[in-house]
C-alpha cells in the first residue's frame, strides 16, 4: 500500500506536541486533508478537553461546541449548504444567517445553538464548513493549527467577497459590533487580499484546492 498524500499523527508520542498533519505529496489537496482529518472526530482514544469523560466522540457530544460556535462558512460550504437546503443565495442568507450581523457586514450563521444543530447532531454534516470540520477540542501542533486556521479564514474571506459581489450584505459600518465581531471582521480583512482567496473563488470542490500554497 502506498503512502497517503496526507497523514495525521496523534499517537502517544505526539500527545505532548499535539495532533500534527504531515503532507507527503506536493499535489495533495484540501480534500485529502479533510479525508485524513475526519476520523479524528470519532476517535475515542484522543483526549478531548470538553468531551464527556474526555474521550467521547464528537457525534452527539452533549457539551457540543456547535452550541456556541461563531461560524462564518468558507465559500465551498456556503454554496453546498444553500444547495442542500434548495435555496438560492439571498434566501439562504435571509433564513440561516444572523440578521443583525449581516447589517454589520458579517456572514455569521445563526448561533446559540447553531441553526443546523438538532438533538446534538449537525443536520448539514457532510457539507459543514471548514471551521466546523477542523475544530477539535484537542491539542494541536503549532504549524497544524496555523495551516487549518489559514485554510478556514481564506475560505471565509472568499465567502465575504462572493457575498459582497452579489450584494448579499447590507454594510453599515456604524452598526454596533461586539469585540468578537470586530476580531472576525479584522481577520476577514487580513485575508481578503491573500491571493489564495482566488483558489476558493474558482473551486467547486475541496479537491480543486491545492494545499501547497497554504504551507
Ligand atoms: S470538538 Fe466539540 S463536539 Fe467534539 S468533543 Fe469537543 S466540544 Fe464536543
Ligand atoms: S454547521 Fe453543523 S458542525 Fe457547524 S456549528 Fe452548525 S451544527 Fe455544528
Amino acid at each position: 500500500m502506498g503512502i497517503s498524500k496526507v497523514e495525521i499523527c496523534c499517537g502517544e508520542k505526539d500527545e505532548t506536541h499535539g495532533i500534527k498533519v504531515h503532507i507527503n505529496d506536493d499535489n495533495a489537496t484540501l480534500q485529502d486533508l479533510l479525508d485524513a482529518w475526519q476520523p479524528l472526530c470519532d476517535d475515542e482514544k484522543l483526549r478531548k478537553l470538553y468531551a464527556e469523560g474526555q474521550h467521547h466522540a464528537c457525534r452527539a457530544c452533549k457539551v457540543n461546541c456547535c452550541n456556541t460556535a461563531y461560524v462564518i462558512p468558507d465559500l465551498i460550504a456556503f454554496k453546498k449548504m444553500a444547495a442542500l437546503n434548495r435555496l438560492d443565495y439571498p434566501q439562504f442568507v435571509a433564513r440561516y444567517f444572523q440578521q443583525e450581523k449581516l447589517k454589520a457586514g458579517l456572514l455569521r450563521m445563526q448561533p446559540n445553538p447553531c441553526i443546523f444543530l438538532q438533538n446534538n447532531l449537525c443536520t448539514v454534516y457532510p457539507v459543514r464548513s471548514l471551521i466546523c470540520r477542523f475544530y477539535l477540542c484537542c491539542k494541536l501542533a503549532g504549524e497544524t493549527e496555523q495551516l487549518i486556521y489559514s485554510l478556514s479564514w481564506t475560505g471565509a474571506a472568499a465567502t465575504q467577497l462572493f457575498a459582497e459581489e452579489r450584494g448579499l450584505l447590507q454594510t453599515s459600518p456604524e452598526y454596533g459590533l461586539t469585540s468578537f465581531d470586530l476580531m472576525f471582521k479584522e481577520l476577514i480583512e487580513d485575508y481578503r487580499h491573500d491571493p489564495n482567496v482566488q483558489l476558493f473563488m474558482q473551486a467547486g470542490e475541496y479537491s480543486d484546492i491545492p494545499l501547497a500554497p497554504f504551507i
Side-chain angles (χ1 to χ4, degrees):
M1 207 167 78
I3 299 173
S4 305
K5 288 184 181 174
V6 177
E7 282 179 310
I8 312 279
C9 288
C10 51
E12 269 172 36
K13 67 182 163 49
D14 287 296
E15 188 121 310
T16 45
H17 303 293
I19 294 167
K20 193 168 181 182
V21 167
H22 293 279
I23 296 166
N24 300 323
D25 187 320
D26 292 344
N27 296 317
T29 69
L30 178 46
Q31 185 63 53
D32 295 318
L33 172 56
L34 292 172
D35 291 343
W37 193 266
Q38 178 60 33
L40 300 174
C41 303
D42 298 320
D43 188 340
E44 297 188 7
K45 293 193 294 303
L46 279 182
R47 176 185 288 276
K48 292 185 184 153
L49 191 58
Y50 305 121
E52 196 180 326
Q54 301 222 293
H55 291 280
H56 195 287
C58 289
R59 179 173 290 273
C61 167
K62 292 201 176 61
V63 259
N64 206 320
C65 42
C66 309
N67 282 315
T68 52
Y70 197 121
V71 180
I72 300 177
D74 62 278
L75 186 52
I76 308 272
F78 176 85
K79 290 176 176 172
K80 285 184 183 275
M81 287 191 290
L84 185 72
N85 287 284
R86 297 199 179 86
L87 295 172
D88 63 24
Y89 299 131
Q91 290 169 331
F92 180 51
V93 167
R95 278 198 212 167
Y96 288 100
F97 287 76
Q98 215 179 348
Q99 296 305 302
E100 64 264 35
K101 301 299 179 206
L102 289 175
K103 290 183 195 136
L106 272 167
L107 271 163
R108 183 191 189 186
M109 288 187 352
Q110 286 185 38
N112 306 322
C114 173
I115 191 161
F116 289 123
L117 190 68
Q118 279 175 22
N119 301 323
N120 293 320
L121 292 172
C122 173
T123 54
V124 292
Y125 197 73
V127 294
R128 70 201 189 286
S129 61
L130 289 178
I131 289 171
C132 305
R133 287 170 187 259
F134 282 131
Y135 181 76
L136 278 176
C137 55
C138 297
K139 188 173 165 60
L140 305 182
E143 63 270 38
T144 292
E145 195 165 30
Q146 185 51 47
L147 173 65
I148 64 175
Y149 192 86
S150 159
L151 285 162
S152 302
W153 285 103
T154 306
T159 309
Q160 184 82 12
L161 289 187
F162 182 84
E164 286 172 5
E165 280 174 13
R166 282 160 182 78
L168 300 173
L169 293 164
Q170 319 125 32
T171 316
S172 50
E174 308 81 38
Y175 203 87
L177 294 169
T178 66
S179 53
F180 264 120
D181 297 337
L182 281 169
M183 184 176 83
F184 290 122
K185 241 181 135 65
E186 279 170 21
L187 264 171
I188 300 264
E189 288 310 306
D190 287 349
Y191 277 94
R192 85 159 54 228
H193 302 294
D194 188 317
N196 287 342
V197 168
Q198 289 309 316
L199 295 172
F200 275 88
M201 297 294 273
Q202 287 153 16
E205 303 289 338
Y206 293 121
S207 55
D208 298 328
I209 300 178
L211 284 179
F214 293 91
I215 300 163

